Amino acid sequence: MNLEGVEKTMLLTLFAKAKHSQEKNHKFYDSKAIEVISKVDYDFSKAEKDTQMQFGTISRTIVLDKMVGDYINAHPECTIVNIASGMDTRFNRLDNGRINWYNVDLENSARYRLKYIEDTERVKTLAYSAMDPNWADEIIIRKDVLFIVEGLTMYLNQGDVEDIINIIDSNFDKCTIFMEIMPPASVKKTKEVSIEDTDTKFTWGVDKGHELTKFNGNFKWIRDVNLFDGSNVYKPITRLFTWIPPIRNRMDYIAVLEK
């Protein structure tokens, strides 16, 4: 398979989306995920049992699909840049026939992705580290630009996150960032069996998204969207406890920044 460490996590999240799509009361349907998982040679036995990983992936997908979908509705000819895209198939779920989409990921991950998910006229895969400024040179800007940074920052350090934000600032005038952040308490204590099986550890996070503006003052913090908002749709019974601050503050969130 030639995937190492954190690269393997892109298969785990794709598996969770494919599995959820085949459930009776699915909240999103991802035919591409089902197709790819049926072709991938990987032992998903631990992912199958890792309900916490699945819960988080599905909750996050529900939240981000809504956020990205709303952005596309407001900016129907936008450019979307998915940083550390892995095997993400959001374009297939949300395409309006007019957007342009870029997937940015490490060379090995990008090459693996293209084995199963081909680029199209409006989808292009770029083989770069998120911290390599050269990826920005390949983006053809059409009106508004949205950057999605999903499932990445918790594996980085603060310097890496600063680099990503500064690369965006240096190359794009008007843009929006949706960046997933894991609170520090969860970085230390969250255990996902299938993730740990890839020899990957969570390493970084901040409590509130407005802290990201300290890295670059050209961005304005708009809001944080808690991923429990997605779990409340996925499993409505979670509404009984997801409002409780000590619990809610332990969940990942999407920080929204604008420039």
Side-chain angles (χ1 to χ4, degrees), residues 134-238:
N134 290 311
W135 62 257
D137 295 333
E138 300 204 36
I139 307 297
I140 299 175
I141 302 173
R142 297 169 66 234
K143 298 186 177 180
D144 301 280
V145 187
L146 170 65
F147 295 89
I148 304 170
V149 187
E150 174 186 6
L152 174 65
T153 64
M154 61 285 298
Y155 301 112
L156 303 179
N157 58 51
Q158 181 170 309
D160 293 334
V161 177
E162 290 180 6
D163 286 345
I164 294 170
I165 294 174
N166 289 333
I167 289 169
I168 295 172
D169 175 45
S170 298
N171 292 277
F172 303 92
D173 294 328
K174 181 182 179 183
C175 59
T176 300
I177 302 176
F178 293 166
M179 180 175 284
E180 182 186 2
I181 304 293
M182 179 178 282
S186 294
V187 169
K188 295 178 181 178
K189 297 181 179 180
T190 299
K191 302 292 182 183
E192 295 181 358
V193 176
S194 60
I195 298 294
E196 293 193 340
D197 189 51
T198 66
D199 295 322
T200 301
K201 303 291 184 183
F202 299 130
T203 56
W204 181 87
V206 292
D207 283 313
K208 300 294 181 182
H210 65 76
E211 297 180 50
L212 300 174
T213 60
K214 298 176 183 177
F215 305 161
N216 187 308
N218 291 330
F219 284 93
K220 178 172 66 172
W221 173 77
I222 304 301
R223 67 185 184 279
D224 292 336
V225 182
N226 195 289
L227 296 195
F228 273 140
D229 292 352
S231 71
N232 291 343
V233 173
Y234 174 39
K235 301 284 187 182
I237 195 171
T238 63

Side-chain angles (χ1 to χ4, degrees), residues 87-117:
M87 301 291 278
D88 182 71
T89 50
R90 182 165 285 113
F91 173 85
N92 300 77
R93 296 193 300 274
L94 301 182
D95 179 34
N96 66 350
R98 299 162 68 184
I99 61 175
N100 277 353
W101 191 288
Y102 293 87
N103 294 301
V104 179
D105 213 334
L106 296 170
E107 182 177 357
N108 195 41
S109 298
R111 187 166 56 245
Y112 189 87
R113 174 190 176 86
L114 289 171
K115 286 173 57 179
Y116 298 97
I117 307 173

